[in-house]
Amino acid sequence: MTEFEKSTTGEVLVRAEGVRKSYGLVEVLKGIDLEVRKGEVFCLVGPSGSGKSTFLRCINHLERINAGRLWVDGDLVGYRQKGDKLYELKDKEVALQRRDIGMVFQRFNLFPHMTALGNVIEAPVQVKGRGRTDARARGMELLERVGLADKAGNYPSQLSGGQQQRVAIARALAMEPKLMLFDEPTSALDPELVGDVLDVMRQLAQDGMTMIVVTHEMGFAREVGDALVFMDGGVVVEAGHPREVLTNPQHERTRAFLSRVL
Ligand code: ADP
Ligand code: MG
């Protein structure tokens, strides 16, 4: 049994079956099939334009798929099934599904007029109706976890890119998601700031968080990843354990891509 086969036994958290997405006449996702297991770090790699961000955006309700099925924790994303008919979820129901998914973008997108702690407690207070005292205590724990307890009162403009990204991670965690999506979280950072962010992600992985990570950091994928999918042109070209795919890619397109990023 390969390392990958051994690891493909856990409970599935995200399942994609034949997922297609078009913008106008251009099909960007051409039938994606994959499964992400609970507690797994699932790395999604591939050239620019291959559809990685689009796929994450579909999971997180920022885009609606055109065909196929997408499930998170057994629930169809955006739809309810009755018999063989699908009904679109209402906005409130969509909001409930989205609450369980944290997303971290390449650009940190913090609220500029709020402190680090303010950013972290905003959603728990506004969306979950948590009391401020309780949210602040929990927010401080999360800032501690990402190594920024001493920056709680700083505004985003007073933080480095790496610190802002760690606040963004703490902010996503504050909603207690069951799934975290990372879309090239270190691509916009100065090289010397990348390590701190990857360390936080590594810790999160050790704590058992299920994570889908779009990244060009192959060192991270190799060390922390449990599964790796190589996408190109809107299809999954190759999937396996990161160490297997990275050391012994089966497809020419994977080899060509890896020779550029490794
Ligand atoms: P990746 O994240 O792998 O670089 P994306 O998912 O961002 O790829 O994009 C895949 C393709 O879809 C690209 O050709 C991109 O130009 C196109 N695309 C992405 N978003 C939109 C949009 N909102 N409207 C039209 N085309 C889009
Ligand atoms: Mg992208």
Side-chain angles (χ1 to χ4, degrees):
M1 214 198 280
T2 65
E3 226 174 338
F4 186 53
E5 283 162 343
K6 270 184 258 164
S7 71
T8 53
T9 50
E11 201 181 330
V12 172
L13 187 67
V14 180
R15 184 196 305 276
E17 265 182 31
V19 166
R20 291 176 177 272
K21 172 68 189 174
S22 302
Y23 294 110
L25 295 175
V26 182
E27 193 169 45
V28 172
L29 299 178
K30 300 174 182 170
I32 301 289
D33 298 302
L34 55 79
E35 286 181 348
V36 179
R37 282 166 182 73
K38 281 192 180 157
E40 188 168 70
V41 176
F42 187 95
C43 300
L44 200 53
V45 306
S48 179
S50 55
K52 307 179 299 295
S53 295
T54 302
F55 183 67
L56 291 191
R57 293 169 60 81
C58 290
I59 295 175
N60 200 24
H61 303 265
L62 296 170
E63 304 287 354
R64 195 179 285 268
I65 64 178
N66 301 115
R69 296 271 199 281
L70 197 49
W71 290 266
V72 173
D73 209 12
D75 292 329
L76 268 177
V77 174
Y79 295 91
R80 188 177 335 97
Q81 188 160 13
K82 264 194 200 155
D84 45 11
K85 283 216 168 123
L86 290 185
Y87 298 90
E88 281 186 17
L89 294 184
K90 299 192 173 67
D91 289 351
K92 263 193 180 162
E93 299 169 303
V94 168
L96 278 178
Q97 283 191 341
R98 285 197 74 192
R99 267 162 66 149
D100 289 335
I101 303 173
M103 188 154 178
V104 175
F105 301 88
Q106 185 173 343
R107 299 260 155 219
F108 336 115
N109 303 328
L110 295 178
F111 306 119
H113 59 291
M114 291 181 190
T115 63
L117 184 60
N119 268 276
V120 174
I121 68 170
E122 178 66 8
V125 170
Q126 298 300 335
V127 181
K128 282 201 166 168
R130 280 237 182 156
R132 277 200 171 260
T133 314
D134 178 32
R136 289 176 76 88
R138 172 84 183 121
M140 283 307 296
E141 278 173 31
L142 287 167
L143 286 175
E144 185 95 46
R145 196 162 157 193
V146 300
L148 291 173
D150 59 331
K151 305 287 185 206
N154 285 37
Y155 287 87
S157 61
Q158 301 167 324
L159 298 169
S160 73
Q163 291 169 337
Q164 289 182 57
Q165 192 61 303
R166 286 185 280 150
V167 173
I169 294 172
R171 182 176 63 173
L173 293 175
M175 289 297 281
E176 298 171 324
K178 51 185 162 196
L179 171 68
M180 285 284 286
L181 309 175
F182 291 87
D183 195 354
E184 300 197 34
T186 59
S187 297
L189 299 178
D190 292 334
E192 74 272 21
L193 303 177
V194 168
D196 288 343
V197 173
L198 293 180
D199 285 345
V200 166
M201 292 169 64
R202 189 176 288 121
Q203 189 58 53
L204 201 51
Q206 273 163 17
D207 295 344
M209 178 61 75
T210 310
M211 307 162 51
I212 304 181
V213 183
V214 174
T215 187
H216 296 299
E217 296 288 338
M218 295 304 148
F220 175 84
R222 185 190 296 264
E223 282 165 44
V224 183
D226 298 294
L228 184 146
V229 155
F230 173 70
M231 268 177 76
D232 195 6
V235 299
V236 171
V237 173
E238 164 155 21
H241 191 279
R243 275 190 293 275
E244 288 169 6
V245 178
L246 294 175
T247 49
N248 189 21
Q250 299 298 304
H251 291 263
E252 182 47 41
R253 281 197 276 175
T254 318
R255 283 195 281 273
F257 172 76
L258 292 177
S259 72
R260 289 197 302 273
V261 298
L262 282 176

